[in-house]
Amino acid sequence: MSAVIARRATHQVQIDHLTVGSEAPVVVQSMTNTDTADAAATAAQVKALADAGSEMVRITVNSPEAAAQVAEIRQRLDDMGCNTPLVGDFHFNGERLLQEFPDCARALSKYRINPGNVGKGAKGDEKFAYMIRTAAEYGKAVRIGVNWGSLDQSLAKRMMDANLTLAEPKAPEAVMKEALIVSALESAQKAVDLGLPENKIILSCKVSAVQDLIEVYRDLGRRCAYPLHLGLTEAGMGSKGIVASSAALAVLLQEGIGDTIRISLTPEPGAPRTQEVVVAQEILQTMGLRSFTPLVTACPGCGRTTSTVFQELARDIQQHLRDKMPQWRLAYPGVESLNVAVMGCVVNGPGESKLADIGISLPGTGETPVAPVYVDGERHVTLKGDNMAAEFLAIVENYVAVNYGEGGKKRRTAKVIPIAHG
């Protein structure tokens, strides 16, 4: 894995066992879509997201019924051995919920506050102040999260009016982008003035268009030292959401901007919520910034590979590795850097297989029905028959145990950055 790109944030924020900002690894975050008032369902989804690799999970806290269950959710997670920090997502009535349910205030590890939805004028200032003082009292971190769709309209109007007095007014879109940044920075300064330490603050300025997000975060990153949370506010569904998020976040991460990320995918009907975690991990891992799960290299297929055997094996191997990671993280430190190749014919099969830790070169159309397996660059065994998939999985399992188990030559001995898991 390549050297980690230097982070721009100089402040570090400690959120339970996680360190956010500066040279710390970029943290993967996700959000539940259960009714938080249903403690059992919400705890189960948090656990599933954590098992998939989410290192923080945000939950909606929008009603007394939801707030009343937050401590119960935290207890259920603790009972399951899941230490993932919970982030409370507050809008409109956050100050009242924190006041009425102190167990909720204590159980959360971080509060998310949207300045545009706290309230207007003096009343809004009072609500914001209460939430910030509560966070300071309990030692909680706060993400001040500004959104394009819920920008403080009084601030936007003030800045639009000021822009009209200029000899050369800026385009309205430029003023709105500036208003996002000003809202975040002014709110952060208010929080500091109210007693919240700078090392408890994370900022975000989310929009839904790729180029807008890049422009806003480049500017925000130049103007503050706070850790930044990245994500398109509504990425979309399926490949559109994945591509848009990847395009935006890859540019910013490559420039050292961003300390936590979330991929806000609209889930396909019936699809697991964990997909957004997988996409976030794969962005970071393919960029060489983090390692989360072993990677499978597989060819795209062509006229030489009319059989679906290699496609099915690549799919099964990738799923098997992901399913194993919750246990392997604990038992086999460093296994996330394992590279497996599943190739479909003789053209690139042997070469790619030799470059991987473990690789199999399956027979293409018209080739001899045998599959050489390479381990650490050397031909290890040749498989044939209908049981090749199971035999190859067994070789992978053995390789992991031998190389990443106690005394294994690839077992990581350097300091391990804790990853929240169940």
Side-chain angles (χ1 to χ4, degrees):
M1 188 173 73
S2 62
V4 174
I5 298 165
R7 313 242 56 80
R8 248 182 212 168
T10 56
H11 297 319
Q12 276 196 345
V13 178
Q14 197 67 33
I15 303 172
D16 296 348
H17 59 275
L18 292 175
T19 301
V20 176
S22 190
E23 298 301 315
V26 180
V27 171
V28 172
Q29 184 171 313
S30 59
M31 186 173 184
T32 58
N33 62 356
T34 55
D35 181 353
T36 307
D38 186 339
T42 301
Q45 191 173 84
V46 172
K47 177 69 162 54
L49 290 165
D51 284 347
S54 183
E55 295 161 297
M56 280 193 287
V57 178
R58 184 156 48 111
I59 61 176
T60 298
V61 187
N62 62 331
S63 66
E65 293 77 14
Q69 293 302 314
V70 171
E72 172 67 15
I73 293 165
R74 178 71 272 166
Q75 187 60 56
R76 286 172 177 262
L77 291 169
D78 292 343
D79 291 344
M80 290 187 283
C82 180
N83 63 353
T84 304
L86 292 178
V87 182
D89 193 51
F90 294 102
H91 297 272
F92 309 113
N93 59 354
E95 86 296 339
R96 179 167 63 86
L97 297 177
L98 290 173
Q99 183 177 28
E100 293 178 2
F101 298 93
D103 285 350
C104 168
R106 286 189 289 266
L108 294 168
S109 300
K110 186 173 80 168
Y111 307 161
R112 185 280 174 109
I113 303 173
N114 182 343
N117 286 340
V118 171
K120 297 179 181 179
K123 188 175 182 180
D125 290 342
E126 291 171 9
K127 290 181 176 182
F128 182 81
Y130 186 88
M131 298 178 76
I132 293 298
R133 290 188 177 119
T134 301
E137 177 184 353
Y138 292 120
K140 306 300 183 180
V142 171
R143 172 160 72 93
I144 295 173
V146 183
N147 270 36
W148 183 271
S150 54
L151 183 61
D152 182 343
Q153 291 305 300
S154 61
L155 172 64
K157 184 178 185 305
R158 169 164 58 88
M159 294 185 64
M160 284 291 189
D161 290 345
N163 182 60
L164 292 175
T165 66
L166 299 176
E168 296 183 9
K170 298 177 182 178
E173 294 80 5
V175 179
M176 291 293 285
K177 291 172 187 175
E178 175 66 10
L180 285 169
I181 296 169
V182 169
S183 178
L185 296 178
E186 286 187 353
S187 297
Q189 187 57 53
K190 287 179 185 177
V192 172
D193 293 343
L194 288 164
L196 188 67
E198 288 185 329
N199 65 357
K200 288 293 184 181
I201 297 173
I202 297 172
L203 300 184
S204 66
C205 287
K206 287 191 173 184
V207 299
S208 55
V210 170
Q211 294 297 341
D212 290 337
L213 191 83
I214 293 170
E215 183 180 347
V216 167
Y217 272 90
R218 280 174 172 167
D219 200 356
L220 181 62
R222 284 191 291 266
R223 293 162 64 175
C224 77
Y226 294 110
L228 303 180
H229 173 75
L230 301 185
L232 289 171
T233 187
E234 291 101 10
M237 181 180 284
S239 60
K240 184 269 179 186
I242 293 171
V243 170
S245 295
S246 301
L249 269 60
V251 171
L252 293 168
L253 291 167
Q254 187 66 25
E255 295 177 4
I257 301 170
D259 302 278
T260 70
I261 66 171
R262 189 220 168 175
I263 309 302
S264 300
L265 294 180
T266 303
E268 301 275 0
R273 187 69 169 176
T274 52
Q275 185 186 20
E276 66 178 54
V277 179
V278 173
V279 174
Q281 290 180 327
E282 290 181 346
I283 290 172
L284 294 174
Q285 187 154 351
T286 55
M287 291 184 69
L289 295 174
R290 300 265 324 252
S291 289
F292 295 96
T293 192
L295 291 178
V296 174
T297 300
C299 66
C302 66
R304 290 176 174 269
T305 57
T306 53
S307 167
T308 61
V309 172
F310 86 95
Q311 299 166 346
E312 293 163 358
L313 182 58
R315 176 199 63 201
D316 294 346
I317 287 287
Q318 184 71 78
Q319 189 59 51
H320 182 78
L321 297 175
R322 285 203 169 275
D323 290 345
K324 286 287 187 177
M325 279 309 294
Q327 295 78 41
W328 281 3
R329 278 194 200 104
L330 300 177
Y332 303 121
V335 70
E336 62 273 7
S337 63
L338 176 70
N339 185 265
V340 179
V342 179
M343 304 302 293
C345 80
V346 73
V347 173
N348 292 318
E352 289 283 0
S353 297
K354 289 177 183 178
L355 291 172
D357 295 308
I358 313 170
I360 184 170
S361 180
L362 293 161
T365 305
E367 295 178 17
T368 304
V370 297
V373 175
Y374 297 84
V375 175
D376 291 331
E378 300 294 330
R379 188 161 178 157
H380 174 70
V381 68
T382 299
L383 304 180
K384 53 187 174 180
D386 296 331
N387 204 34
M388 285 192 293
E391 292 174 0
F392 184 64
L393 273 174
I395 293 171
V396 172
E397 291 270 4
N398 181 69
Y399 185 93
V400 168
V402 170
N403 288 277
Y404 298 97
E406 289 289 346
K409 63 181 179 179
K410 295 190 177 184
R411 185 180 181 90
R412 182 174 54 206
T413 56
K415 180 181 178 182
V416 178
I417 302 297
I419 294 178
H421 55 78

